């Protein structure tokens, strides 16, 4: 820390920097957390004292990037974290605890230029592409699901509740309320929350926002959910499929593109109320879905969720009603033009939200730029079709394993452009390694199945 020369590297508005310093002084914060993520989306945090804050806002704080997953190895490992003053928030605290602020950082090189390995930069670049195509806002509404367990040592559930279960069964209602209060205290708008289908499974939905804010909010959300659970003596997990035979946890992601306050996905004269732009965006997501998979579903375990029968999508198709399709267009209600959107149902809440939103945006923009045609919707339940029927209708499936997904990513020119060479290369290597470690494991299932008969 601090081994990098002082020099003004900030690109933020000087007024915003002054305001945030005043606010911190008024609030009497004892220290400020600086946050960023590695390429897998793990939150990285370090704390600085108020006396260092002015210098840190202007020059950034140096750190050694060599121990951050997906960042540079030993050579060229000096990195600088520059806090974004607009992301300043006071962390929720209980009586008597220290006052702590937090800011999200962009990671730059010592010369002040953006670091290609920073996931937030990949999202910023995707948004630049969007702006160059005439849009100004990519709105995102993610629905993160998670489980509460007695501890992180096992999967003992806290209740037997089900979808929308009410208080008597829902041991965690109080906990959910406390979580929502903590999220709202950090400026995160909450729209909706309920018990999910599986035992001990919950969902708290944030009010939509632009993609960069939403990625910042998503990493904050995950931390708050975990912290509030821990303070109450239980464990919250975003692992995509922790319980065999039960629904996994998804992160359905609602998306729309805006320009000058108008929703560019809406066209009232179309039978689906979708504009040419909206349709081409969806066509882009569908055509590139297999290449995107290792970004929105990045773990070996993610592919245990993406199987038939648990309300998670498997087939690459879109629909207005059918929840087995990959993309759903929520039904249009008159007067709700602004809410016309595409809901992609395959991401899981353990993804890196910066890379996921960037990859989704690039795939959609590719559809718009190249004028992809959208196939008609698939309104029958795709799970009930035989594999021959699916083949006849040209329905493609998502990759079945992380290994298959990584092969798609490694061959994807679009994803290489979307992530940039550095992240693309590091990500492919990292995920191949994860897959290789997994595929050589011997499982209890194999011993039970084969040992006695072979
Ligand atoms: N938990 C389901 C999934 O894995 C989604 C259930 C729902 O909200 O419809 O995606
Ligand atoms: Mg849900």
């Amino acid at each position: 820390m601090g081994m990098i020369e002082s020099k003004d590297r900030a690109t933020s508005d000087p007024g915003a920097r002054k305001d945030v310093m005043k606010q911190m002084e008024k609030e009497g914060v004892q220290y400020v957390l600086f946050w960023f993520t590695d390429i897998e989306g793990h939150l990285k945090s370090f704390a600085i004292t108020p006396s260092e804050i002015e210098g840190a806002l202007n020059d950034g704080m140096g750190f050694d990037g060599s121990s951050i997953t997906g960042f540079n190895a030993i050579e060229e490992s000096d990195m600088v974290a520059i806090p974004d003053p607009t992301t300043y928030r006071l962390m929720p605290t209980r009586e008597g605890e220290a006052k702590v602020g937090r800011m999200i950082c962009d990671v730059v090189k010592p010369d002040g230029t953006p670091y290609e390995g920073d996931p937030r930069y990949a999202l910023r670049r995707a948004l630049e592409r969007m702006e160059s195509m005439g849009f100004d806002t990519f709105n995102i509404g993610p629905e993160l699901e998670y489980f509460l367990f007695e501890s992180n040592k096992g999967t003992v559930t806290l209740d037997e509740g089900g979808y929308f279960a009410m208080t008597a069964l829902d041991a965690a209602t109080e906990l959910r309320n406390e979580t929502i209060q903590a999220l709202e205290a950090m400026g995160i708008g909450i729209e909706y929350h309920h018990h999910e289908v599986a035992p001990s499974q919950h969902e708290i939905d944030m009010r939509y926002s632009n993609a960069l804010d939403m990625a910042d909010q998503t990493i904050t959300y995950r931390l708050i959910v975990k912290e509030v659970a821990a303070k109450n003596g239980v464990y919250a997990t975003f692992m995509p499929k922790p319980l065999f035979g039960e629904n996994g946890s998804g992160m359905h992601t609602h998306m729309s593109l805006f320009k000058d306050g108008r929703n560019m996905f809406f066209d009232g004269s179309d039978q689906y109320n979708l504009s040419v732009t909206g349709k081409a965006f969806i066509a882009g997501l569908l055509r590139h879905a297999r290449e995107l998979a290792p970004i929105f579903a990045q773990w070996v375990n993610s592919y245990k969720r993406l199987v038939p029968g648990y309300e998670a999508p498997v087939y690459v198709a879109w629909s207005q009603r059918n929840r087995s399709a990959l993309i759903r267009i929520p039904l249009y209600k008159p007067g709700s033009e602004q809410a016309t959107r595409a809901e992609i149902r395959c991401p899981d809440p353990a993804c890196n939200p910066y890379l996921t939103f960037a990859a989704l945006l690039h795939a959609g923009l590719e559809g718009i730029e190249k004028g992809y045609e959208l196939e008609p919707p698939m309104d029958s339940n795709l799970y009930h079709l035989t594999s021959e029927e699916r083949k006849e209708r040209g329905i493609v499936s998502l990759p079945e394993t992380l290994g298959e997904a990584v092969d798609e990513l490694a061959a994807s020119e679009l994803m290489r452009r979307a992530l940039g060479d550095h992240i693309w290369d590091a990500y492919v290597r990292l995920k191949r390694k994860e897959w290789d470690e997994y595929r050589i494991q011997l499982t209890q299932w194999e011993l039970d199945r084969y040992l006695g008969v072979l």
Side-chain angles (χ1 to χ4, degrees):
M1 207 63 60
M3 65 288 199
I4 288 167
E5 76 167 307
S6 261
K7 108 182 203 182
D8 198 334
R9 299 180 183 86
T11 48
S12 56
D13 175 40
R17 279 179 255 161
K18 284 221 171 68
D19 290 349
V20 89
M21 284 181 31
K22 268 194 223 128
Q23 191 177 345
M24 277 188 266
E25 203 180 312
K26 202 172 84 204
E27 288 167 345
V29 297
Q30 276 135 304
Y31 55 94
V32 186
L33 302 176
F34 279 19
W35 288 0
F36 59 94
T37 74
D38 67 12
I39 66 171
E40 291 178 319
H42 296 296
L43 182 58
K44 301 286 149 186
S45 174
F46 56 89
I48 67 163
T49 55
S51 60
E52 282 175 287
I53 194 71
E54 184 168 8
L57 277 164
N58 298 331
D59 303 354
M61 288 298 281
F63 67 97
D64 175 8
S66 65
S67 47
I68 309 287
T69 306
F71 281 25
N72 278 339
I74 311 299
E75 55 314 341
E76 302 174 83
S77 64
D78 286 347
M79 298 288 152
V80 180
I82 308 248
D84 177 345
T86 62
T87 64
Y88 173 76
R89 301 281 184 282
L90 197 59
M91 296 288 290
T93 40
R94 290 178 172 177
E95 272 296 300
E97 288 176 339
K99 286 204 167 162
V100 182
R102 85 91 159 87
M103 279 188 260
I104 312 260
C105 298
D106 291 297
V107 180
V108 302
K109 293 181 278 198
D111 68 2
T113 55
Y115 174 50
E116 308 77 13
D118 178 15
R120 203 165 187 254
Y121 177 58
L123 181 53
R124 283 189 184 279
R125 281 199 305 105
L127 294 168
E128 275 167 22
R129 180 179 179 199
M130 171 194 80
E131 281 163 20
S132 77
M133 289 173 65
F135 307 100
D136 56 38
T137 311
F138 181 38
N139 276 325
I140 299 268
E143 302 177 1
L144 286 89
E145 297 173 334
Y146 59 90
F147 281 85
L148 293 174
F149 294 128
E150 269 183 19
S151 80
N152 63 358
K153 300 279 180 299
T155 55
V156 180
T157 55
L158 306 186
D159 63 52
E160 296 302 318
Y163 195 54
F164 279 30
M166 248 318 285
T167 37
L169 283 175
D170 183 357
T173 300
E174 266 311 299
L175 194 60
R176 215 162 57 220
N177 289 340
E178 193 181 329
T179 309
I180 289 162
Q181 275 167 20
L183 290 168
E184 286 183 330
M186 291 211 58
I188 298 178
I190 301 302
E191 289 222 306
Y192 198 65
H193 62 100
H194 57 88
H195 198 292
E196 254 301 343
V197 173
S200 233
Q201 190 185 26
H202 299 269
E203 175 174 322
I204 299 176
D205 296 340
M206 295 179 268
R207 182 177 160 71
Y208 75 89
S209 190
N210 71 76
L212 194 64
D213 281 353
M214 191 45 85
D216 292 344
Q217 289 190 17
T218 302
I219 60 168
T220 308
Y221 173 114
R222 292 197 300 218
L223 182 89
I224 297 286
V225 165
K226 280 179 172 289
E227 278 201 338
V228 174
K231 278 186 181 163
N232 286 278
V234 295
Y235 181 68
T237 179
F238 295 94
M239 181 174 171
K241 183 84 173 186
L243 299 177
F244 175 73
E246 298 284 355
N247 272 12
S249 289
M251 186 180 83
H252 301 166
T253 301
H254 298 253
M255 295 166 288
S256 54
L257 282 174
F258 274 63
K259 182 187 181 177
D260 298 331
R262 279 185 43 233
N263 185 347
M264 303 310 282
F265 280 11
F266 178 75
D267 178 353
S269 65
D270 176 74
Q271 75 176 116
Y272 307 112
N273 295 297
L274 279 176
S275 66
V276 173
T277 299
K279 285 182 188 163
F281 190 94
I282 295 166
L285 289 169
L286 293 175
R287 181 163 332 173
H288 298 290
R290 287 177 55 84
E291 298 150 60
L292 298 171
I295 310 295
F296 60 62
Q298 67 164 329
W299 310 103
V300 162
N301 184 253
S302 299
Y303 295 84
K304 307 280 166 90
R305 165 179 167 253
L306 298 171
V307 298
Y310 297 97
E311 298 187 72
V314 178
Y315 306 114
V316 179
W318 74 283
S319 170
Q320 278 194 303
R321 301 186 177 77
N322 187 343
R323 288 164 190 269
S324 65
L326 198 80
I327 295 181
R328 193 173 73 94
I329 309 302
L331 272 185
Y332 167 74
K333 289 187 226 81
S336 60
E337 290 79 34
Q338 298 301 76
T340 299
R341 62 199 188 272
E343 173 193 352
I344 188 160
R345 299 172 60 84
C346 40
D348 66 54
C351 68
N352 182 329
Y354 297 98
L355 296 185
T356 298
F357 300 161
L360 294 173
L361 180 56
H362 273 286
L365 293 175
E366 195 75 0
I368 295 172
E369 200 171 271
K370 304 249 165 82
Y372 291 171
E373 289 285 330
L374 184 63
E375 301 286 323
M378 199 68 67
D379 282 327
S380 60
N381 189 340
L382 305 174
Y383 297 127
H384 294 155
L385 302 177
T386 65
S387 81
E388 284 71 29
E389 284 167 333
R390 281 196 296 271
K391 210 172 269 164
E392 240 163 60
R393 298 189 194 190
I395 298 173
V396 174
S397 300
L398 287 174
E400 289 183 1
T401 63
L402 180 63
E404 197 183 326
V406 175
D407 287 343
E408 292 283 341
L409 179 66
S412 170
E413 205 34 58
L414 173 66
M415 283 302 108
R416 184 174 183 163
R417 262 189 288 132
L419 304 176
D421 281 352
H422 177 100
I423 294 184
W424 177 76
D425 194 60
Y427 202 91
V428 167
R429 260 186 294 130
L430 190 67
K431 292 296 157 182
R432 273 231 165 95
K433 189 158 165 274
E434 179 180 341
W435 174 247
D436 283 343
E437 269 173 36
Y438 174 74
R439 73 187 180 83
I440 61 169
Q441 297 300 319
L442 278 186
T443 62
Q444 193 58 43
W445 183 91
E446 288 162 278
L447 291 171
D448 293 347
R449 180 114 169 178
Y450 303 130
L451 190 61
V453 293
L454 300 181

